[in-house]
Amino acid sequence: MKFLDAENDLVGQLKSITGSQRQALEMAGVSRSTWHYRSHPRERTPEPIPQRDRAYASRISDADRVVVAARITAGW
C-alpha cells in the first residue's frame, strides 16, 4: 500500500503543478484506466463462478459439442 500512497501523492503534486490530472498521470506513467480502477475498485464477489461454469448465449451445448467433434473427426 505504501507504493500506492506514494503514487497518489506524486499524482496529486503533479496535478497541482500542471493543473491537469491527465498530464499528471502521463508524467507519472499511470494510465487513466488504471488510476480510475485503483480509485474505484470493484466489490469482491463472495463466491465467484469459475469461467468454465458460466453460462452465456454463445456457449456451445455439450450435445452440440459432441456433434461438432464427430463431424471434425469424421473427415480424418
Side-chain angles (χ1 to χ4, degrees):
M1 291 309 255
K2 288 184 179 184
F3 173 75
L4 294 179
D5 292 339
E7 188 177 77
N8 287 342
D9 292 342
L10 174 62
V11 171
Q13 290 173 5
L14 290 171
K15 182 180 175 186
S16 67
I17 293 169
T18 64
S20 167
Q21 182 180 22
R22 183 175 293 195
Q23 287 179 346
L25 290 171
E26 185 176 328
M27 292 171 79
V30 180
S31 71
R32 291 175 63 219
S33 59
T34 298
W35 180 260
H36 179 78
Y37 180 76
R38 288 179 183 167
S39 302
H40 305 90
R42 288 180 272 179
E43 292 183 22
R44 304 285 284 172
T45 303
E47 294 183 31
I49 300 170
Q51 180 68 31
R52 68 180 177 277
D53 297 336
R54 294 180 189 175
Y56 47 91
S58 63
R59 173 162 269 168
I60 299 172
S61 69
D62 289 338
D64 288 339
R65 188 176 303 274
V66 170
V67 171
V68 170
R71 289 183 180 173
I72 290 171
T73 56
W76 295 98

